[in-house]
């Protein structure tokens, strides 16, 4: 018999007596009180009367007092004496939890109902269980917090018929559900897995018919020019002088490609363009994730804006680069290269003390330094970074 309930849950049961003094619960006429002093441990009570036939006896008052700190469950009956029954304990994981990396994650099995109209997942319990610290969770299925356009729940797709959950008007039933995203690190696969980012990039080459496996080994004045892709942006963190940067790059010996990946962009075609390049550069942002399509030994140049986001920038792109066999260079802009330098006085906290806004939360940082900052690169200073990239391509 499995016992699992909230504290002081009450059930009405009738005990019957066996010839061999084993207690069996049968009928509906006795008061049984369970007092369980535990929240996180599930109690499993073994019934040893598997081969016995029950006989109906008279009604009796039976009180069961269960304490999770003890190893046994003692049954006290005014008319009978029974042996202590052993209790097994096992640790139960909460349905939803926050992973180390900060992502919401729920893995649920059982009788599950998904109501698309209210963005709600219902989990129906078929047997009583000890209550968890929480019985309700609001999750955002995205590895980063504070993304306003991401809904607060999601449904994972399986081998069954695909469901457009945002347009569904009926309740869907599943035996198992995963809500939320689980990941190891930005653009890095857990090393304990049999899969690696290097193998994943090989898979992408096959999936998108990417021909180049290695970047050019460049020699000045001989052979094909190295190709430089500048990932442009049109809404936030815009590179305002990309034409001037392109001109300097061409003088150094690059063939320059300007491109922006939008939602309407043909991904296969864009992946092939990236794969044809040897150097990819752009301001910190999602556009740089296209580095996954670069050939081996290519170079990534990340332009880091103002705002004390250097750590985020390196976490997102410098750290993953090595596992992809891509060389990494960083160009950190100065105040005069940021549009914020003309919007705020030189002694304003936006320019002098970015950590002040970090303490206010990610929403404040994003609003000021990511959503409302554009960049005008000092081409004379940036020329040195472009030259370093060429040097890397020689080796």
């Amino acid at each position: 018999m499995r016992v699992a309930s909230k504290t002081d849950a009450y059930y009405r049961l009738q005990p019957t007596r066996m010839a061999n003094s084993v207690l069996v619960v049968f009928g509906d006429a006795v008061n049984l009180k369970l007092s369980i002093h535990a929240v996180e441990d599930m109690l499993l009570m073994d019934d040893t009367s598997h081969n016995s036939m029950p006989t109906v006896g008279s009604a009796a008052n039976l009180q069961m007092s269960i304490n999770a700190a003890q190893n046994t469950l003692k049954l006290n009956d005014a008319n009978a004496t029974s042996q202590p029954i052993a209790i097994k304990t096992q640790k139960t994981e909460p349905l939803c939890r926050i992973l180390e990396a900060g992502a919401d994650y729920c893995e649920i099995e059982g009788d599950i109902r998904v109501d698309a109209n209210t963005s709600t997942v219902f989990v129906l319990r078929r047997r009583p269980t000890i209550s968890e610290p929480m019985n309700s969770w609001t999750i955002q299925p995205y590895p980063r917090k504070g993304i306003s356009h991401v809904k607060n729940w999601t449904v994972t797709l399986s081998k069954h018929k695909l469901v457009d959950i945002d347009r569904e008007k009926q309740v869907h039933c599943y035996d198992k559900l995963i809500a939320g995203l689980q990941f190891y690190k930005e653009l890095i696969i857990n090393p304990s897995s049999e899969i690696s980012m290097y193998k994943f990039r090989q898979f992408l080459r096959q999936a998108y018919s990417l021909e180049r496996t290695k970047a050019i080994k460049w020699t000045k004045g001989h052979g094909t020019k190295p190709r430089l892709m500048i990932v442009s942006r049109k809404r936030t963190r815009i590179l305002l002088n990309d034409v001037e940067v392109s001109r300097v790059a061409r003088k150094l010996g690059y063939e320059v490609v300007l491109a922006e990946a939008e939602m309407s962009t043909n991904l296969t075609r864009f992946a092939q363009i990236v794969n044809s390049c040897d150097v990819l550069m752009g301001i910190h942002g999602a556009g740089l994730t296209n580095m996954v399509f670069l050939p081996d030994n290519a170079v990534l140049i990340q332009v880091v804006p103002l705002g004390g986001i250097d750590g985020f920038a390196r976490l997102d792109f410098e750290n993953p680069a090595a596992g992809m066999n891509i060389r990494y260079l960083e160009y950190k802009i100065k105040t005069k290269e940021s549009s914020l330098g003309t919007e705020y006085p030189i002694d304003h906290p936006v320019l002098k003390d970015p950590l002040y806004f970090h303490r206010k939360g990610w929403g404040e940082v994003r609003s000021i330094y990511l959503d409302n900052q554009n960049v005008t690169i000092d081409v004379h200073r940036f020329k040195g970074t472009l030259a370093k990239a060429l040097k890397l391509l020689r080796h």
Side-chain angles (χ1 to χ4, degrees), residues 367-384:
S367 174
I368 297 173
Y369 298 107
L370 298 182
D371 293 344
N372 290 286
Q373 179 177 194
N374 297 321
V375 175
T376 302
I377 286 180
D378 181 343
V379 293
H380 298 291
R381 191 164 72 93
F382 187 63
K383 183 178 179 180

Side-chain angles (χ1 to χ4, degrees), residues 94-99 103-107 139 178-182:
L95 291 183
C96 295
R97 60 191 186 277
I98 298 178
L99 301 180
D104 294 330
Y105 184 77
C106 299
E107 184 166 348
I139 70 165
I178 294 178
L181 298 179
Q182 187 177 31

Side-chain angles (χ1 to χ4, degrees), residues 117-335:
N117 292 324
T118 61
S119 298
T120 304
V121 176
F122 297 97
V123 183
L124 305 182
R125 297 289 195 185
R126 293 199 178 276
R127 59 174 60 91
T129 60
I130 290 179
S131 60
E132 300 187 35
M134 296 179 60
N135 56 18
S136 170
W137 296 267
T138 299
I139 70 165
Q140 187 177 63
Y142 197 77
R144 295 176 179 172
K145 302 299 181 183
I147 308 300
S148 59
H149 63 272
V150 177
K151 293 183 66 175
N152 279 345
W153 69 291
T154 190
V155 174
T156 187
L157 301 179
S158 69
K159 64 181 179 181
H160 302 289
K161 180 181 177 181
L162 296 181
V163 175
D164 186 349
I165 206 68
D166 289 327
R167 298 184 180 182
E168 284 293 313
K169 298 185 181 300
Q170 59 183 337
V171 174
H172 292 269
C173 306
Y174 301 96
D175 291 328
K176 182 175 181 178
L177 174 78
I178 294 178
L181 298 179
Q182 187 177 31
F183 78 113
Y184 178 65
K185 292 180 181 179
E186 305 279 4
L187 293 176
I188 298 177
I189 295 176
N190 193 325
S192 64
S193 170
E194 295 181 356
I195 304 171
S196 65
M197 279 303 296
Y198 183 76
K199 290 182 179 179
F200 177 66
R201 288 189 353 108
Q202 290 178 320
F203 166 75
L204 290 179
R205 287 172 189 154
Q206 295 175 0
Y208 292 103
S209 302
L210 307 181
E211 297 180 355
R212 300 180 72 214
T213 60
K214 290 188 178 295
I216 189 174
K217 194 167 184 179
W218 181 68
T219 303
K220 186 175 181 180
H222 299 279
T224 306
K225 291 182 178 181
R227 283 168 63 89
L228 166 69
M229 172 179 278
I230 301 176
V231 179
S232 60
R233 304 174 60 95
K234 294 181 180 178
R235 293 182 295 275
T236 61
R237 281 156 282 157
I238 303 170
L239 179 57
L240 298 175
N241 63 334
D242 54 3
V243 174
E244 189 177 2
V245 172
S246 299
R247 184 169 59 249
V248 171
R250 290 189 182 97
K251 288 183 178 179
L252 286 173
Y254 287 101
E255 178 184 344
V256 180
V257 178
L258 277 170
E260 179 184 17
E262 298 178 327
M263 294 298 292
S264 59
T265 302
N266 182 305
L267 183 56
T268 299
R269 179 58 186 145
F270 192 83
Q272 291 171 347
I273 295 174
V274 175
N275 182 251
S276 71
C277 295
D278 306 286
V279 180
L280 178 71
M281 69 153 286
I283 300 172
H284 172 76
L288 295 183
T289 60
N290 289 290
M291 66 191 284
V292 297
F293 303 121
L294 286 170
D296 291 350
N297 300 325
V299 181
L300 174 70
I301 302 175
Q302 177 176 204
V303 178
V304 182
L306 293 184
I309 62 170
D310 308 43
F312 297 115
R314 291 165 188 160
L315 180 71
D316 291 344
F317 300 109
E318 179 181 12
N319 294 353
M324 299 187 201
N325 200 16
I326 292 174
R327 276 79 70 87
Y328 174 86
L329 293 175
E330 184 176 289
Y331 180 83
K332 184 176 179 180
I333 71 168
K334 294 184 176 180
T335 302

Side-chain angles (χ1 to χ4, degrees), residues 74-92:
K74 296 184 178 179
L75 306 180
N76 299 317
D77 192 323
N79 299 320
T81 303
S82 60
Q83 296 297 321
I85 300 176
I87 297 176
K88 299 177 182 178
T89 63
Q90 69 181 37
K91 197 71 173 178
T92 57

